[in-house]
């Protein structure tokens, strides 16, 4: 096992920039030797030039992890949003709560709809994270907790109705989604203003 690791490291070094640069400098040392410049100290010259080349070579940079781009992330989130909608269609909610939830899901659906809006969203990593968290965590957890708590409320009435907490949670999520939509709209507004200034400056 240790031998395999050693062989692997040796192979990596042989292909590295340091070895290639050092080898090129070492060849220069051999050229100096053949031309008689290095004299009897040619081994020292060759080794010295190789070492100098290896030292000045830029370090080997490991490849960056191959993470999915934001557009690919949105495709995955859309698939999960479809699953979420199927789940929500089977949940019995009070009318007012259902309306509030529908407002939220309609906004998320508009943000995720393939097209120019989704392209703007893909350029905002924090926005993608906000939508992903709402779809994959916040909404399903809020609704599932409501369903389970409602059963206990029926067994032990007199407590704060669970739909009140769900409505408060949905209100917070709606506000968060609205802030995101506003931020994306402002991004486009700034883009439009920048283009206007560019055209005006160009015409002067």
């Amino acid at each position: 096992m240790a031998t395999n690791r050693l062989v692997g490291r040796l192979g990596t070094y042989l292909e590295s920039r340091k070895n290639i640069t050092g080898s090129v400098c070492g060849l220069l040392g051999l050229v100096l030797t053949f031309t008689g410049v290095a004299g009897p100290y040619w081994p020292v010259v060759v080794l010295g030039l190789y070492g100098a080349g290896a030292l000045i070579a830029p370090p080997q940079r490991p490849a960056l992890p191959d993470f999915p781009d934001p557009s690919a992330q949105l495709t995955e989130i859309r698939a999960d949003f479809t699953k979420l909608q199927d789940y929500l269609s089977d949940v019995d909610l009070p009318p007012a709560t259902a309306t509030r939830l529908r407002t939220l899901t309609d906004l998320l659906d508009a943000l995720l709809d393939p097209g120019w809006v989704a392209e703007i969203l893909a350029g905002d990593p924090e926005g993608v994270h906000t939508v992903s968290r709402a779809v994959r965590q916040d909404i399903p957890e809020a609704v599932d907790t409501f369903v389970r708590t409602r059963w206990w409320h029926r067994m032990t009435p007199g407590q704060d109705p669970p739909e009140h907490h769900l409505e408060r949670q949905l209100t917070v999520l709606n506000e968060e989604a609205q802030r995101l939509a506003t931020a994306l709209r402002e991004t486009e507004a700034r883009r439009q203003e920048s283009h206007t200034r560019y055209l005006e400056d160009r015409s002067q």
Side-chain angles (χ1 to χ4, degrees):
M1 199 68 165
T3 303
N4 291 338
R5 284 199 299 268
L6 180 60
V7 172
R9 290 178 181 175
L10 179 60
T12 301
Y13 178 76
L14 290 176
E15 298 174 354
S16 68
R17 294 176 182 172
K18 287 185 175 297
N19 181 55
I20 293 173
T21 306
S23 298
V24 171
C25 292
L27 288 174
L28 176 61
L30 290 176
V31 171
L32 294 176
T33 300
F34 292 140
T35 58
V37 176
Y41 301 103
W42 68 267
V44 176
V45 173
V46 172
L47 291 176
L49 287 174
Y50 175 88
L55 286 175
I56 65 173
Q60 195 74 14
R61 185 171 62 89
L64 290 172
D66 186 19
F67 295 125
D69 61 41
S71 297
Q73 293 181 47
L74 287 182
T75 300
E76 296 175 358
I77 296 172
R78 285 190 198 100
D80 291 339
F81 183 62
T82 300
K83 297 176 185 177
L84 175 64
Q85 289 177 308
D86 292 340
Y87 162 71
L88 295 176
S89 66
D90 294 331
V91 178
D92 181 27
L93 297 175
T97 307
T99 299
R100 190 162 301 186
L101 177 60
R102 192 177 306 109
T103 300
L104 174 59
T105 55
D106 285 348
L107 178 53
L108 293 174
D109 188 32
L111 291 172
L112 288 169
D113 186 40
W116 63 272
V117 176
E119 291 175 2
I120 301 171
L121 175 60
D124 182 359
E126 287 298 323
V128 173
H129 175 69
T130 297
V131 174
S132 173
R133 184 178 56 194
V135 170
R136 294 169 170 166
Q137 176 181 335
D138 294 336
I139 296 176
E141 183 174 341
V143 174
D144 183 61
T145 303
F146 162 77
V147 172
R148 289 184 283 116
T149 306
R150 181 175 55 178
W151 184 86
W152 286 107
H153 182 74
R154 290 171 179 171
M155 299 293 291
T156 56
Q159 304 297 319
D160 191 21
E163 56 266 26
H164 288 179
H165 286 282
L166 179 58
E167 289 176 5
R168 289 166 59 187
Q169 293 166 6
L170 293 177
T171 297
V172 172
L173 293 174
N174 263 301
E175 292 173 350
E176 190 175 60
Q178 287 288 351
R179 284 196 298 271
L180 173 59
T182 299
L184 296 178
R185 178 184 60 79
E186 291 175 349
T187 297
E188 281 299 279
R190 288 193 297 270
R191 179 183 176 187
Q192 184 185 37
E193 292 169 1
S194 297
H195 190 58
T196 300
R197 288 194 298 271
Y198 163 73
L199 293 176
E200 290 175 346
D201 294 341
R202 190 179 68 180
S203 63
Q204 292 177 359

